[in-house]
């Protein structure tokens, strides 16, 4: 587990939503404070019911001027099978996977795209 993944997972365990947890982990790379980063990213499900882990990384890539949103979307879909929060929750039923796993994996994917 890399540093960003550990940070994002810890933020999530500490009560932050998935989107904010990721942004807070990458705040320094974004040139923002954690509070600024947290308020900059879209809230979970705020865009067509999509996962905050997906929405947050797309917003951060755009902010950094990195044109890899489509690449990230493919990575996210390969790993999770859906972009939609409701479907992700249904898919993981009985698997032992949690939103915290998605947050950690999204952080690792983000790091791989930087």
């Amino acid at each position: 587990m890399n540093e960003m993944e550990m940070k994002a997972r810890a933020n999530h365990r500490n009560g932050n939503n998935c989107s904010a947890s990721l942004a807070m982990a990458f705040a320094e790379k974004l040139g923002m404070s954690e509070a600024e980063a947290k308020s900059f990213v879209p809230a979970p499900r705020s865009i067509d019911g999509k996962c905050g882990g997906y929405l947050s990384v797309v917003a951060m890539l755009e902010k950094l001027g990195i044109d890899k949103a489509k690449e990230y979307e493919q990575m996210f879909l390969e790993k999770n099978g859906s972009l939609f929060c409701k479907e992700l929750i249904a898919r993981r039923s009985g698997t032992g996977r949690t939103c915290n796993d998605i947050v950690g994996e999204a952080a690792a994917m983000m790091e791989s795209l930087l």
Side-chain angles (χ1 to χ4, degrees):
M1 211 179 295
N2 69 38
E3 180 190 355
M4 290 301 163
E5 183 176 350
M6 289 189 298
K7 271 186 176 180
R9 284 177 178 264
N11 292 336
H12 191 255
R13 278 192 303 274
N14 289 333
N16 293 287
N17 70 44
C18 48
S19 188
S21 296
L22 282 155
M24 290 166 67
F26 287 91
E28 191 175 319
K29 290 183 193 250
L30 292 165
M32 301 177 176
S33 69
E34 282 191 358
E36 289 168 329
K38 187 176 177 175
S39 64
F40 147 75
V41 291
R45 297 178 299 282
S46 65
I47 301 174
D48 302 328
K50 290 180 181 165
C51 170
Y54 169 75
L55 295 174
S56 184
V57 171
V58 169
M60 290 189 289
L61 290 170
E62 287 174 3
K63 173 80 172 159
L64 293 168
I66 299 170
D67 188 22
K68 294 187 178 176
K70 281 286 179 211
E71 189 177 334
Y72 174 64
E73 185 172 310
Q74 288 176 325
M75 292 167 76
F76 193 93
L77 283 168
E78 281 174 28
K79 183 71 180 165
N80 299 294
S82 177
L83 300 177
F84 300 93
C85 192
K86 192 175 187 176
E87 291 176 14
L88 292 169
I89 290 168
R91 283 173 177 268
R92 72 169 191 242
S93 179
T95 66
R97 281 178 51 79
T98 66
C99 287
N100 194 269
D101 294 320
I102 292 173
V103 166
E105 291 158 2
M109 288 182 225
M110 169 76 177
E111 187 123 69
S112 78
L113 294 170
L114 295 179

